[in-house]
Amino acid sequence: MYEIDPIDRRLLELLQRDGRMSYSQLAAEAGISRAAATARVRDMMHHGVLAVVAATDIMRLGFPVRTVMCRVNGGGRQSAARRLAALPEVTYCIVGAGLADIQLEVACRSPEHLAAVLEQIAAVEGVAIHATFEFLEMVKQSYGWDVAPPED
């Protein structure tokens, strides 16, 4: 696992507040040089700790979102998850424990589009759709959370 230190945590806090903050401003607020801020942010991006993107509300763009919960028969959850994550309509894919082995969020424009995607999901070897859930309204979507180190 990639280890982050207090300076990295501060940079993450700042970028969660404003993802377009300049390296100069990040450096000033974190108390480090511009070169150090640039190198640290790029290193976290390289290791997958951080991605700077334009967050959109896909529901407002005409893509109702559904959650699809899947069971995987006979193991192979990681392999099945990788195949499901490759579907272009899948916006979120996790392997979990509990009601489902894999949880997906899919963005489809219509019920017909959803039906086609559900067929693709069910066609993945060992995958059975356990339940679907349609989002009616996005009440909160947050990209900022406490990046304080875990307590011992």
Side-chain angles (χ1 to χ4, degrees):
M1 180 166 73
Y2 183 76
E3 296 290 326
I4 63 173
D5 64 16
I7 294 171
D8 291 334
R9 290 183 194 288
R10 178 66 179 142
L11 293 169
L12 291 171
E13 289 171 0
L14 293 166
L15 287 168
Q16 285 181 340
R17 192 168 13 124
D18 180 0
R20 297 179 353 154
M21 188 177 286
S22 71
Y23 286 120
S24 297
Q25 189 175 357
L26 280 171
E29 293 203 31
I32 59 176
S33 71
R34 184 185 187 285
T38 302
R40 284 173 173 268
V41 169
R42 287 184 178 158
D43 197 40
M44 287 189 284
M45 291 173 75
H46 174 76
H47 286 91
V49 173
L50 167 68
V52 180
V53 299
T56 58
D57 183 335
I58 60 176
M59 291 180 69
R60 289 186 184 200
L61 295 174
F63 289 90
V65 179
R66 285 84 172 186
T67 294
V68 180
M69 299 172 80
C70 304
R71 291 266 190 211
V72 178
N73 302 314
R77 294 187 309 169
Q78 294 292 336
S79 174
R82 282 191 300 276
R83 288 193 304 267
L84 293 168
L87 296 172
E89 293 86 358
V90 172
T91 61
Y92 179 83
C93 175
I94 61 166
V95 175
L99 294 176
D101 296 315
I102 298 172
Q103 180 177 335
L104 308 170
E105 284 185 5
V106 297
C108 300
R109 284 204 179 271
S110 66
E112 295 79 19
H113 187 192
L114 175 62
V117 171
L118 292 175
E119 284 186 28
Q120 291 177 323
I121 292 169
V124 173
E125 184 178 342
V127 172
I129 296 172
H130 175 65
T132 61
F133 175 82
E134 185 164 347
F135 293 19
L136 299 177
E137 176 185 8
M138 181 75 68
V139 176
K140 178 181 180 181
Q141 185 171 7
S142 176
Y143 297 102
W145 50 86
D146 187 8
V147 292
E151 295 182 22
D152 293 328

